[in-house]
Amino acid sequence: MKKQIQTLAALIAGVTIITPLSLCSCGKSEETTTSATTAATTTTTTEATTTTESTDATTEETKAIAEVTENPLIDPKNPLALDPYTGIQDMDPKNVGKRSIACTISNLEAATPSKGTAKADIIYEYETEGGQTRLLCLFPDISKVEVIGSFRSARVVAADLADGTNSILVHWGFDQTKFPAYFKEYNIDHIDMNEYDAGWLADTDGKIELNGNKFSWRDLHWKKEDKRVLQDCAVTNGEQVQRAIDFLGINTKTEEIPMVMNFVPDGTAPMKDAFDCKDLQVYFSEINKDAHFVYNDKDHCYYKSQYRDTPQTDDTTDEQLHFTNVFVLYTNIHDRHDGAGRLDFSLELGGQGYYVSNGKLVEINWIKPNPMDMIQITDKDGKPIEINAGKSYFCMVDIKERSKTSWMN
């Protein structure tokens, strides 16, 4: 897995330029003492050692700069940092080394369109009770999200997916039977916004002032204008998420964020033995049977629709959700038989699936041995494959429904 490489500007900022003048100008030029010869010898030795150490340091920094310059994902003239979740150089350098935020968002038809989803770098769609699906939206920089919702409760699968990228999980309630023990076992940082609800407020594009330990609210506009019920109106924004993080003392820094996939410049992923695929239909269940992705030749993205081919849009911008990469990952899903229809995912078993990008589809394998591991995409022989830089959508589908996935050119 490639490691994150900072921008050239950031590296140059930390380089000490060493010149002959700087090496020779330390101390006085003459010393009139009886041990002049010894002093001169010591000075010469010290300067030689300093020169060697400085040269070694300069060589290492030069190599680092060369590595950045040679990385095809990096433009040395671009002052922005490389986003490890997309492989695109569009991240604020101040956000480098910060953990991402993963939000559980409702995908009920009555709760669509959602807000803030168009700004997610990665979206996972997975099944919950009764065949209904839910979204886990990953944001590397939550401060850019004016408002996001509607939130729903967390399941173990959401915690598992969030933990793979060391993300802070933000949700509204949770599965009481398994989630508490799970997040304690794996020490998963999470924020239950249900505990910090300020009640019904008139949302003006997320411009809400909250005080104390209130970090979320119910969108009054959705209730009045869209006739949504209580559970379909829970929202927050980037500012309030940051306040909640500070309130709970959650550490947002991490030593290193690796690239979540083996990114290459868009359009250069080999996609060996590919099928033409400009129209992809993914079947999750009888309720969510038409996750539909249509390829756009102009921007090389797949645009998503659902619920009788209705464009899946962001309510804040009216933008239809679209992605450079679409993954269909088949996994073992089991009914817990607890009377509530809750499901258990066996992500640790990995599986097979499809990678779709640039009008092509290839068969893949995938692995995620434990919650702390990222999903790794490989070819059928288990070798890591290259992925086009850009946003990604993951469909986590029951292996029993594989035959119902279809595509065409």
Side-chain angles (χ1 to χ4, degrees), residues 33-48:
T33 65
T34 56
S35 58
T37 302
T38 302
T41 303
T42 302
T43 300
T44 301
T45 303
T46 302
E47 289 182 350

Side-chain angles (χ1 to χ4, degrees), residues 148 156 188 199 242 248 256 273 305 322 324 339 349 383 391:
I148 180 169
V156 167
I188 295 172
Q242 186 58 57
L248 295 171
E256 183 178 35
D273 300 325
S305 300
H322 54 280
T324 300
L349 299 179
K383 298 178 181 178
K391 293 185 176 184

Side-chain angles (χ1 to χ4, degrees), residues 47-280:
E47 289 182 350
T49 302
T50 303
T51 302
T52 302
E53 292 176 350
S54 300
T55 301
D56 290 343
T58 304
T59 301
E60 290 302 315
E61 289 170 341
T62 300
K63 288 180 180 179
I65 293 172
E67 183 180 359
V68 169
T69 305
E70 294 171 1
N71 187 332
L73 294 172
I74 293 178
D75 176 5
K77 297 179 181 179
N78 185 347
L80 298 177
L82 197 61
D83 184 341
Y85 304 96
T86 64
I88 297 176
Q89 192 179 353
D90 60 356
M91 177 183 282
D92 186 336
K94 294 180 181 178
N95 202 58
V96 172
K98 287 186 178 180
R99 297 168 65 190
S100 57
I101 307 298
C103 300
T104 58
I105 303 299
S106 177
N107 197 41
L108 285 167
E109 185 172 9
T112 57
S114 303
K115 290 185 177 182
T117 46
K119 291 192 175 181
D121 275 6
I122 295 174
I123 294 180
Y124 304 90
E125 183 173 357
Y126 56 93
E127 188 179 351
T128 56
E129 300 82 44
Q132 182 60 57
T133 64
R134 194 158 293 174
L135 308 178
L136 183 71
C137 301
L138 193 150
F139 303 91
D141 186 359
I142 196 67
S143 67
K144 294 182 179 180
V145 184
E146 293 87 355
V147 61
I148 180 169
S150 67
F151 276 86
R152 287 305 294 262
S153 57
R155 298 291 182 269
V156 167
V157 63
D160 197 333
L161 292 169
D163 201 31
T165 50
N166 195 21
S167 301
I168 300 168
L169 180 64
V170 182
H171 55 98
W172 196 287
F174 51 85
D175 169 11
Q176 298 283 348
T177 57
K178 282 197 171 183
F179 188 83
Y182 189 86
F183 75 72
K184 286 182 180 178
E185 179 181 357
Y186 292 100
N187 195 28
I188 295 172
D189 288 322
H190 70 105
I191 304 171
D192 184 356
M193 284 295 178
N194 187 43
E195 298 182 8
Y196 310 106
D197 178 17
W200 293 103
L201 294 173
D203 174 18
T204 308
D205 295 329
K207 296 176 183 177
I208 296 290
E209 292 186 10
L210 299 178
N211 298 308
N213 64 342
K214 303 300 181 184
F215 311 118
S216 58
W217 68 96
R218 307 278 184 168
D219 190 330
L220 191 58
H221 176 83
W222 268 348
K223 177 185 179 182
K224 289 183 176 181
E225 302 299 325
D226 296 349
K227 308 302 180 184
R228 295 194 187 188
V229 296
L230 180 72
Q231 62 265 32
D232 295 335
C233 296
V235 294
T236 187
N237 62 25
E239 178 185 357
Q240 301 307 324
V241 170
Q242 186 58 57
R243 286 185 62 237
I245 288 171
D246 295 340
F247 177 79
L248 295 171
I250 297 174
N251 180 25
T252 61
K253 298 293 182 65
T254 183
E255 292 182 1
E256 183 178 35
I257 303 176
M259 288 287 156
V260 299
M261 284 176 277
N262 187 18
F263 289 118
V264 294
D266 185 21
T268 65
M271 302 196 71
K272 184 180 178 182
D273 300 325
F275 298 92
D276 290 333
C277 176
K278 295 189 177 181
D279 188 299
L280 173 70

